[in-house]
């Protein structure tokens, strides 16, 4: 039975493929699955599948990069590409990389998948017959072949998908990397604002930019007398291994690359440079360091070479400033733009002082979720809300620096305040309705939930709108009305305190007495006696 590996970032797609046909009935077994190319490579090395079914567009490592590495590791494995109609150009390129077949997701039916797999089984059966016990040998010897392309080997070492123990001298020699030791440095190069560039350029132009920029980087390295090897990252990213360059030469080379990309294509780029290391065994650590320094553009800005990591400006042992969405929302509901702006800037500057990349993104997520939740409270137009959320998420993905984030969040929260001001104007009529309802039904079970449903507003929004219009909290107002009615009954009737508490909507007579004492300054009986006198 032949083994199948499914690699797709959508869980439902993976589940659907597994459930679509009876795999064992046609001679296959789904041996594993993965949600991105990087995890897919780990699964591929562990499982040694006969067939890999992979999506094109995935996070961490996309399908094109994944199948390129798989093909470099194993020339015989069968590769099936999952694609959408708009990715058809990618599928054609993938076929040139050695993909066996492709399936269009939106059109794929069980009969289509079964047809492709049956054809593959025929092909695999013929190969097994032609090579005798080849399949059994491959099952008992799952290690990668000795011949491996230099870029695939470097990428595997950098990402940790290829262990040092599997990198033999023979592999290094066959890849042309046997003499790569001594004074080594890794550059991680990336185009800034790639999200925006992707929207402006056609797929063909992006592909050409990636290819031509890679060649330009090689030319620059050669012109500076630096020996180099490249391995690709995601779209718009390149990794360059340098040999023999000192720290000054590395910084100069990075600046030349940035200048060339700007001059030839009008794009900004940032370069993260690792410290010096001495063998390919240290490539993974160097890659982590270069990528971490590259990410510091969040704090330092784009279009520069980052070869060191600046010191934290805050005490590393101190606690980070807490997120206080409740306080932020008070500023928003009170339409206080300046207080909102100061809050957003302060919370980001705390992360900046720590050079804390992960916390900065956590703050961004928290602020974005708070923003979308606020919009959910202001409208029942679900279609508009869906489009607005999508628009906000698309915008934030294109932001690169802390200044971008601060400016953007201030702008979108100011827009929210304008929306609130507009809604306040249209919803002012709801407050007299709530007041009238309370005064007519104070003897009933009243809550924020009941009142918000009555006027078709969210609980939080109604609470803030009520306080803005009356200067009093809605629960405090209900309590005041009930106690005023209780005073009237205490002065004008002989009803017992417990009976009066029920009549004003407070069923617990003990609680009523304590509340009355607290708010009025006397117990119900003391108040009655004082009135009689």
């Amino acid at each position: 039975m032949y083994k199948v590996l499914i690699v797709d970032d959508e869980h439902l797609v993976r589940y659907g493929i597994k459930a679509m046909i009876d795999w064992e009935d046609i001679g296959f077994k789904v041996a594993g699955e993965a949600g991105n190319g990087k995890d897919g490579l780990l699964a591929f090395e562990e499982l040694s599948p006969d067939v890999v079914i992979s999506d094109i567009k995935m996070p961490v490592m996309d399908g094109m990069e994944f199948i390129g590495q798989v093909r470099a590791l194993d020339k015989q494995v069968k590769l099936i590409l999952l694609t959408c109609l708009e990715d058809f150009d990618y599928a054609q390129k993938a076929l040139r990389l050695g993909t066996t077949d492709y399936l269009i997701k939106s059109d794929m039916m069980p009969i289509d998948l079964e047809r492709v797999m049956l054809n593959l089984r025929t092909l695999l059966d013929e190969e097994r017959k032609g090579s005798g016990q080849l399949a059994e040998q491959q099952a008992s010897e799952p290690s990668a072949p000795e011949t491996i392309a230099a870029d695939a080997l470097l990428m595997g070492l950098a990402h940790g998908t290829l262990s040092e123990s599997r990198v033999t001298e023979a592999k290094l020699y066959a890849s042309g990397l046997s003499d790569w030791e001594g004074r080594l440095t890794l550059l991680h190069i990336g185009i800034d604002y790639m999200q925006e560039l992707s929207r402006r350029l056609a797929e063909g132009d992006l592909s050409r930019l990636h290819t031509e920029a890679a060649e330009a980087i090689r030319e620059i390295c050669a012109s500076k007398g630096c020996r180099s090897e490249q391995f690709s990252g995601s779209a718009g990213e390149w990794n360059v291994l340098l040999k023999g360059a000192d720290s000054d030469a590395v910084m100069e080379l990075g600046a030349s690359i940035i200048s060339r990309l700007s001059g030839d294509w009008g794009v900004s780029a940032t370069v993260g440079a690792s410290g010096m290391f001495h063998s390919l065994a240290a490539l993974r650590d160097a890659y982590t360091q270069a990528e971490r320094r590259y990410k510091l553009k969040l704090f330092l800005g784009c279009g520069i070479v980052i070869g060191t990591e600046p010191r934290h400006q805050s005490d590393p042992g101190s606690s980070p400033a807490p997120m206080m969405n409740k306080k932020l929302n008070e500023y928003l509901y009170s339409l206080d733009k300046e207080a909102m702006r100061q809050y957003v800037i302060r919370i980001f500057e705390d992360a900046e002082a720590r050079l804390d990349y992960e916390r900065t993104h956590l703050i961004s997520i928290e602020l974005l979720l708070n923003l979308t939740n606020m919009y959910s409270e202001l409208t029942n137009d679900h279609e508009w809300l869906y489009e607005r959320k999508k628009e906000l998420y698309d915008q934030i993905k294109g932001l690169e620096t802390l200044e971008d984030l601060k400016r953007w969040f201030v702008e979108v929260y100011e827009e929210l305040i304008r929306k609130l001001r507009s809604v306040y104007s249209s919803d002012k009529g709801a407050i007299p309705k709530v007041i009238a309802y309370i005064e007519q039904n104070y003897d009933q079970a009243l809550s924020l939930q009941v009142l918000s449903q009555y006027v078709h507003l969210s609980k939080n929004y109604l609470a803030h709108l009520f306080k803005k219009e009356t200067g009093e909290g809605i629960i405090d107002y209900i309590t005041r009305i009930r106690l005023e009615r209780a005073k009237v009954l205490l002065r004008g009737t002989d009803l017992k305190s417990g009976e009066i508490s029920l009549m004003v909507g407070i069923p617990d007579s003990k609680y009523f007495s304590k509340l009355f004492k607290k708010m009025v300054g006397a117990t119900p009986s003391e108040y009655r006696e004082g009135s009689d006198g």
Side-chain angles (χ1 to χ4, degrees), residues 46-287:
E46 179 184 347
L47 301 171
S48 297
D50 303 286
V51 179
V52 175
I53 300 175
S54 174
D55 191 14
I56 285 182
K57 292 186 175 179
M58 297 182 289
V60 184
M61 180 189 293
D62 66 20
M64 298 294 287
E65 189 177 336
F66 169 64
I67 62 175
Q69 284 210 51
V70 166
R71 184 53 77 212
L73 292 169
D74 189 334
K75 305 294 184 187
Q76 302 301 319
V77 67
K78 309 308 174 195
L79 298 169
I80 306 298
L81 200 67
L82 299 174
T83 181
C84 300
L85 285 172
E86 59 267 28
D87 300 327
F88 192 70
D89 287 344
Y90 273 124
Q92 292 176 312
K93 292 174 189 173
L95 289 171
R96 291 196 291 273
L97 285 174
T99 307
T100 312
D101 209 334
Y102 67 89
L103 290 163
I104 297 175
K105 281 186 181 181
S106 57
D107 295 343
M108 184 170 59
M109 300 293 288
I111 191 171
D112 301 316
L113 179 58
E114 188 169 298
R115 173 185 54 78
V116 169
M117 299 310 300
L118 286 171
N119 289 341
L120 281 184
R121 191 185 71 178
T122 301
L123 184 59
L124 288 164
D125 287 344
E126 289 175 354
E127 288 179 356
R128 177 174 287 187
K129 289 176 185 175
S131 58
Q133 300 302 310
L134 178 61
E136 287 75 14
Q137 291 172 6
Q138 288 177 338
S140 62
E141 300 175 6
S143 60
E146 291 299 316
T147 302
I148 179 171
D151 61 344
L153 188 147
L154 293 173
M155 192 182 300
L157 284 173
H159 287 290
T161 57
L162 186 62
S163 63
E164 293 173 39
S165 61
R166 297 190 61 187
V167 182
T168 63
E169 285 297 325
K171 279 183 181 175
L172 289 172
Y173 181 81
S175 304
L177 298 171
S178 57
D179 61 342
W180 275 82
E181 54 186 22
R183 196 162 56 184
L184 307 179
T185 310
L186 185 69
L187 302 183
H188 183 77
I189 307 162
I191 292 176
D192 304 319
Y193 302 102
M194 190 63 191
Q195 187 83 9
E196 175 61 27
L197 191 64
S198 299
R199 282 195 287 264
R200 289 194 287 110
L201 296 182
E203 289 289 353
D205 293 332
L206 278 175
S207 178
R208 185 168 63 255
L209 167 59
H210 191 87
T211 303
E212 291 179 1
E215 185 56 40
I217 292 168
R218 289 190 189 93
E219 290 175 7
I220 293 168
C221 292
S223 70
K224 301 289 184 181
C226 291
R227 188 175 170 193
S228 68
E229 284 285 350
Q230 281 189 38
F231 58 98
S232 292
S234 301
E237 292 185 359
W238 304 266
N239 298 287
V240 182
L241 181 63
L242 301 173
K243 182 177 180 181
D246 60 26
S247 58
D248 289 339
V250 168
M251 297 299 285
E252 182 183 344
L253 183 63
S256 297
I257 290 170
I258 291 171
S259 178
R260 179 72 175 272
L261 291 174
S262 176
D264 288 359
W265 292 280
V267 296
S268 170
T270 298
V271 178
S274 76
M276 196 171 294
F277 59 106
H278 301 285
S279 74
L280 294 181
L283 182 60
R284 186 175 186 183
D285 288 340
Y287 176 79

Side-chain angles (χ1 to χ4, degrees), residues 461-476:
Y461 174 58
L462 175 60
H464 283 87
L465 182 60
F466 190 94
K467 189 163 188 177
K468 184 177 187 309
E469 291 299 308
T470 66
E472 189 173 14
I474 198 165
I475 300 302
D476 292 338

Side-chain angles (χ1 to χ4, degrees), residues 10 18 46 104 126 135 138 185 357 373 383 409:
E10 295 182 59
K18 288 189 294 182
E46 179 184 347
I104 297 175
E126 289 175 354
Q138 288 177 338
T185 310
Y357 180 88
N373 287 339
E383 184 176 345
F409 273 112

Side-chain angles (χ1 to χ4, degrees), residues 432-500:
K433 291 181 182 178
V434 169
I435 290 173
Y437 187 88
I438 292 170
E439 292 182 349
Q440 293 168 15
N441 297 279
Y442 62 86
D443 58 337
Q444 304 297 313
L446 290 178
S447 66
L448 194 54
Q449 177 75 29
V450 169
L451 296 170
S452 65
Q453 289 177 350
Y454 175 66
V455 290
H456 307 293
L457 298 175
S458 76
K459 292 188 295 182
N460 287 342
Y461 174 58
L462 175 60
H464 283 87
L465 182 60
F466 190 94
K467 189 163 188 177
K468 184 177 187 309
E469 291 299 308
T470 66
E472 189 173 14
I474 198 165
I475 300 302
D476 292 338
Y477 181 81
I478 294 171
T479 300
R480 183 167 63 81
I481 292 298
R482 283 172 167 166
L483 294 182
E484 290 297 329
R485 298 298 183 270
K487 287 179 184 179
V488 171
L489 292 170
L490 285 167
R491 290 195 304 265
T493 72
D494 294 327
L495 292 170
K496 293 179 180 179
S497 175
E499 294 174 314
I500 291 174

